[in-house]
Amino acid sequence: MLSTDPKGAGDLILSGGQTGSIDSQGHVEEDPVPQYNKLTPVRYAFLTLIDAGTGTNLWGDLQRWGGLLTGFDSVGEHLVQEFEKQTQAAERRSRLKLVKSVDPAYPAEVLKKHIDGTVTVRIVVDKNGRVSEAKALTGPAELFPPSVEAAKQYQFDPPKDAPVTTELEMRYGYSPAPCPPGKKGDHAEVFYAEKLPMNTEHPGFLKVVGDINEPMPPYPEDAREAGVEGDLELIISVASSGDVVGARVLKSVDPVIDEAALATVHTWRFKVTRGEQAGFPIKFLYRMTCDSLADK
């Protein structure tokens, strides 16, 4: 599904040169006669891959949109190309066979400060199955060095289509033990898998450097009783004021969980650097455990 930012209603140029307008719900209407003097850029376009059977969002991405939605050299074409590129990369990653993994060290001085979280490390695997490059992308900065050091020691079977780029997640802090076989978890926990700072790879966009109001989303009672678990992935749009002005689901867990999380992130406010409004990925982990984080 190709759609636009609901808050970005305005005018646009369609494929073939025709002009039109888009409303706040994403509906496009062509002008009877082209009116090029009223062109107003719309901020973002989204491409979302949806499972036709379940309605679950499987993949999504966004790009800034200056007017051309579909057709040659349009934002729609660019998003499809990005999807194809990521699909090919995912196929190469899926063929990687791990031979050796290394747990990262937890520096004592960092542990004393109660700094925890998840560090995502991007690695490049060479033709010999060794990690030739490793770069920490997100997570607490204090945990970047041990995460990169551990990632460099990973080994894989030599891949056929080297080099292969993939990502590793290094988790620090409390990790709930799995429930014994046959026992249902009775503690509902929500974990924030993406830590500050958050920044994009695009120059001129703002960067999130701190939080002012960032409550965790609830674990809805209906979902808890049903034992629903999963990883919820969102994209949030942060304005220069630090307010979250848009949010949408990229990977769904459950409609009730999704809606509660969306309502929560719309209340968030951050400390930001100067720059244009930007989109950031957010990931929540919903787990039913047999021991509670609150008891630790």
Side-chain angles (χ1 to χ4, degrees):
M1 179 179 69
L2 184 63
S3 58
T4 60
D5 190 335
K7 292 185 178 294
D11 304 315
L12 60 147
I13 297 179
L14 304 173
S15 176
Q18 178 60 286
T19 63
S21 60
I22 182 169
D23 63 21
S24 61
Q25 301 301 314
H27 302 133
V28 175
E29 182 177 351
E30 293 187 14
D31 295 324
V33 177
Q35 301 181 44
Y36 299 107
N37 61 346
K38 69 167 189 172
L39 176 63
T40 304
V42 176
R43 298 196 67 85
Y44 290 104
F46 298 83
L47 181 64
T48 308
L49 181 65
I50 303 174
D51 187 313
T54 65
T56 301
N57 293 344
L58 303 176
W59 178 90
D61 198 7
L62 76 164
Q63 285 191 13
R64 287 178 63 84
W65 177 28
L68 193 59
L69 182 60
T70 61
F72 176 73
D73 199 29
S74 65
V75 68
E77 182 181 51
H78 293 168
L79 284 167
V80 170
Q81 290 173 348
E82 180 62 25
F83 170 68
E84 292 172 344
K85 178 182 176 182
Q86 292 193 24
T87 300
Q88 293 169 0
E91 290 177 354
R92 291 196 296 271
R93 290 195 297 269
S94 68
R95 292 195 290 267
L96 279 176
K97 294 183 179 180
L98 182 64
V99 174
K100 174 187 174 184
S101 63
V102 176
D103 292 330
Y106 206 148
E109 64 275 13
V110 179
L111 183 59
K112 289 179 181 178
K113 296 178 182 178
H114 303 289
I115 297 174
D116 61 6
T118 300
V119 176
T120 301
V121 181
R122 179 179 296 158
I123 63 171
V124 178
V125 181
D126 65 19
K127 64 180 181 180
N128 298 313
R130 298 183 179 277
V131 175
S132 60
E133 298 178 30
K135 179 182 179 181
L137 302 178
T138 63
E142 295 88 345
L143 296 172
F144 280 9
S147 299
V148 170
E149 182 61 30
K152 288 180 177 179
Q153 299 178 61
Y154 272 56
Q155 292 183 15
F156 300 83
D157 278 346
K160 293 182 179 179
D161 301 317
V164 178
T165 300
T166 189
E167 293 180 0
L168 304 174
E169 286 190 345
M170 306 288 183
R171 289 189 170 87
Y172 298 81
Y174 171 79
S175 180
C179 293
K183 183 176 181 181
K184 182 180 178 180
D186 53 6
H187 294 282
E189 309 281 4
V190 182
F191 303 91
Y192 185 27
E194 190 84 14
K195 292 291 186 179
L196 299 173
M198 298 187 295
N199 64 309
T200 72
E201 298 180 355
H202 305 288
F205 284 56
L206 63 80
K207 176 181 176 182
V208 172
V209 294
D211 62 284
I212 297 175
N213 181 57
E214 192 187 9
M216 291 293 290
Y219 208 135
E221 184 176 353
D222 290 347
R224 295 200 309 267
E225 292 181 351
V228 177
E229 297 180 297
D231 298 352
L232 175 61
E233 297 181 12
L234 309 175
I235 281 282
I236 63 171
S237 296
V238 181
S240 57
S241 63
D243 296 308
V244 172
V245 294
R248 63 173 58 202
V249 176
L250 295 182
K251 181 182 177 183
S252 173
V253 173
D254 176 84
V256 175
I257 286 178
D258 298 349
E259 290 301 320
L262 288 172
T264 299
V265 299
H266 272 102
T267 69
W268 284 5
R269 190 179 184 190
F270 299 101
K271 296 176 182 178
V272 298
T273 62
R274 291 185 178 180
E276 295 188 39
Q277 176 177 316
F280 302 99
I282 298 294
K283 186 175 182 179
F284 294 117
L285 311 180
Y286 291 79
R287 299 289 187 270
M288 295 298 296
T289 67
C290 289
D291 55 344
S292 174
L293 177 61
D295 297 335
K296 299 294 180 178

